[in-house]
Amino acid sequence: MRLLFLSLGIAAALACVPAAEEAPADETPVAAATDDEYPLGSLETWLQRPYLTRQLRSVETLFPTRAVAAAEVPSTLVRSDAPLEVAYRFDGAEHGLADFPERTDTTGLLILQGGEILHEEYFKGSDETTRFLSMSVAKSFTSTLLGIARGDGLIESFDDPADKYLPQLAGSGYEGVSIKDILQMSSGVDFSEVYADEESDIAALGAACFGGGGVRDLAMSYGRKREPGTVFEYSSVDTLILGMLLQEVTGQSVASYMEEKVWQPIGAESDAAWVLDQEGDEGFECTLGGLNVTLRDYARFGLLMAQDGVWNGERILPEGWVAEATIPDAPHVQPGKLSEGYKMGYQYQWWTFPDDDKSFTGEGIHGQLLMVNPVLDLVMVKTSDWELAWDDNKEAESWALWDAVQEWVRANRGVS
């Protein structure tokens, strides 16, 4: 089902933490591996076996990037003394947490609740210093930065047409389209995102975005297909337009604004890196899916969202932003309305679960997941090396583990 919606452009083209003692790196379970087991690829092979696994954590060997600097004094994460013992049911059978990584091609798994690491494990040669490519989880970061920009007074309203701030959109399919419609993947722009078709629009866009150059001009070249705000249609070009808007109103690169407004304030322990469409100062961040982050820092960002944008008592995100960004408010993006048989909803570049806790997730091709439950103050980060760009079965099994973890937290950690 997700094959209709998630971005394959990259593949088709070439996809309040309290102060405490940090979990020692030497206590983090890591699966040993050699470079021979997981070799680097080339521009032609990097998303194919046997290169996919290592290349998803080594994109800087192939593409230009821009750093998002870590905090000088990282916020510390507490490691739980007790092991997380949870079982989940999937496909008519019960499985343990130890079964999950191999069954779902996991490269990293971190579960964080209330600032405490309940589980952290790495596989296939990765470790706590590894920066994993986000794929479309980057879209959720991009929308968050736009929320901050609006809070800073740089955007008057998301009901404004995007071309109010980007007049160069005049004459394109985005002329007159509201920022909100773009955030909800409902722009109506004539853009094809088809996995198996190398002639699909997403193929050319992904190639330009990942080091090919000229991605902004390409993003503005698409026409109109339907009335904006009426139909959900996953189009990664929408997020590039949002990135262009962010750069325009802030007068900064996306990476610089993220560093100032999110990365430094939450005490990120490692530099992040955005893939650029070209080398140098003119390079533009691939906001549709080019962000590279460690598991712990993905979890910090998830915890910021779980805690309504407040970090150690300081408000980082505008008040009310998390609910606005993650609770669908239009009929066509409600859970179950995106596609027949698919349970999820969508709001501002986040997928939303149909549950009472209003939980939500960022998801990216080849199995990158950032799940957040704001009621339970719970985050689960999973990185993967799925051979297919998307695997409905592995997505569903990841949800099954997520459900089991939520039940365990309710039963064992005094949260209801």
Side-chain angles (χ1 to χ4, degrees):
M1 191 62 62
R2 287 296 290 278
L3 294 182
L4 296 175
F5 299 132
L6 289 172
S7 165
L8 183 64
I10 305 159
L14 300 168
C16 83
V17 179
E21 291 189 356
E22 185 174 329
D26 60 2
E27 293 183 9
T28 305
V30 178
T34 68
D35 289 351
D36 289 340
E37 289 179 86
Y38 302 109
L40 288 171
S42 65
L43 290 176
E44 292 74 28
T45 64
W46 73 284
L47 289 180
Q48 303 171 15
R49 298 287 190 207
Y51 311 105
L52 174 68
T53 302
R54 188 172 170 203
Q55 204 65 70
L56 286 175
R57 60 177 185 258
S58 307
V59 297
E60 289 146 288
T61 64
L62 294 178
F63 307 110
T65 60
R66 181 170 289 135
V68 182
E72 290 187 11
V73 181
S75 59
T76 52
L77 301 177
V78 182
R79 188 183 300 283
S80 174
D81 292 332
L84 178 63
E85 297 181 354
V86 62
Y88 66 95
R89 289 197 63 81
F90 182 72
D91 201 20
E94 184 170 287
H95 306 283
L97 184 59
D99 304 323
F100 179 78
E102 185 174 356
R103 289 179 54 83
T104 61
D105 292 330
T106 299
T107 56
L109 181 66
L110 192 151
I111 300 170
L112 184 71
Q113 197 270 326
E116 186 174 4
I117 297 174
L118 304 183
H119 184 83
E120 182 180 20
E121 195 168 8
Y122 298 90
F123 309 92
K124 302 183 180 183
S126 61
D127 60 29
E128 73 280 357
T129 68
T130 299
R131 281 196 292 257
F132 296 93
L133 180 59
S134 63
M135 297 301 190
S136 289
V137 178
K139 293 176 168 70
S140 304
F141 283 79
T142 301
S143 75
T144 303
L145 295 174
L146 273 176
I148 295 172
R150 189 187 61 182
D152 285 347
L154 303 177
I155 297 171
E156 185 176 348
S157 170
F158 284 165
D159 292 326
D160 288 342
D163 52 303
K164 173 179 177 179
Y165 306 92
L166 287 171
Q168 59 267 45
L169 293 177
S172 77
Y174 288 99
E175 182 175 356
V177 179
S178 72
I179 298 167
K180 180 174 181 176
D181 287 340
I182 301 171
L183 281 163
Q184 290 182 322
M185 291 288 186
S186 306
S187 66
V189 164
D190 188 6
F191 181 85
S192 61
E193 188 146 343
V194 180
Y195 282 82
D197 183 4
E198 293 187 3
E199 301 302 316
S200 179
D201 293 325
I202 189 60
L205 190 73
C209 196
F210 271 59
V215 73
R216 285 169 286 188
D217 289 338
L218 184 58
M220 294 187 293
S221 70
Y222 302 101
R224 179 76 54 80
K225 177 163 56 177
R226 60 171 54 93
E227 183 68 20
T230 60
V231 176
F232 173 86
E233 186 167 15
Y234 195 91
S235 300
S236 287
V237 65
D238 284 355
T239 317
L240 280 170
I241 295 295
L242 296 175
M244 292 169 59
L245 174 63
L246 184 64
Q247 184 182 63
E248 180 69 23
V249 299
T250 64
Q252 300 175 236
S253 69
V254 175
S256 173
Y257 196 64
M258 176 174 157
E259 178 178 303
E260 174 189 346
K261 296 294 185 175
V262 175
W263 228 228
Q264 301 280 336
I266 68 172
E269 68 180 76
S270 301
D271 291 354
W274 275 101
V275 172
L276 303 177
D277 73 328
Q278 60 183 300
E279 296 277 3
D281 293 341
E282 293 302 310
F284 177 71
E285 287 85 350
C286 185
T287 50
L288 68 81
L291 183 61
N292 300 268
V293 174
T294 65
L295 240 60
R296 292 179 186 172
D297 286 338
Y298 278 126
R300 284 179 169 93
F301 176 68
L303 193 60
L304 175 67
M305 294 292 293
Q307 297 180 154
D308 193 34
V310 174
W311 192 267
N312 283 344
E314 179 183 354
R315 176 155 293 285
I316 305 302
L317 307 181
E319 188 171 0
W321 168 255
V322 172
E324 179 186 352
T326 62
I327 300 176
D329 66 355
H332 65 286
V333 292
Q334 295 298 316
K337 298 298 184 181
L338 305 181
S339 175
E340 185 177 353
Y342 191 65
K343 72 176 186 178
M344 303 296 277
Y346 201 80
Q347 183 60 356
Y348 292 171
Q349 312 281 293
W350 291 96
W351 302 89
T352 67
F353 290 97
D355 60 28
D356 292 338
D357 289 351
K358 308 297 184 185
S359 55
F360 50 92
T361 178
E363 302 201 350
I365 58 172
H366 297 288
Q368 324 316 320
L369 305 172
L370 173 59
M371 301 179 178
V372 180
N373 183 314
V375 171
L376 300 180
D377 206 15
L378 180 67
V379 177
M380 187 170 93
V381 188
K382 168 184 161 61
T383 55
S384 314
D385 63 347
W386 298 354
E387 186 166 4
L388 298 176
W390 199 253
D391 190 313
D392 290 342
N393 234 28
K394 290 184 173 65
E395 179 190 43
E397 185 157 354
S398 300
W399 291 342
L401 175 61
W402 173 239
D403 289 343
V405 170
Q406 292 175 96
E407 291 174 10
W408 186 93
V409 168
R410 285 191 174 91
N412 293 278
R413 294 183 66 85
V415 182
S416 59

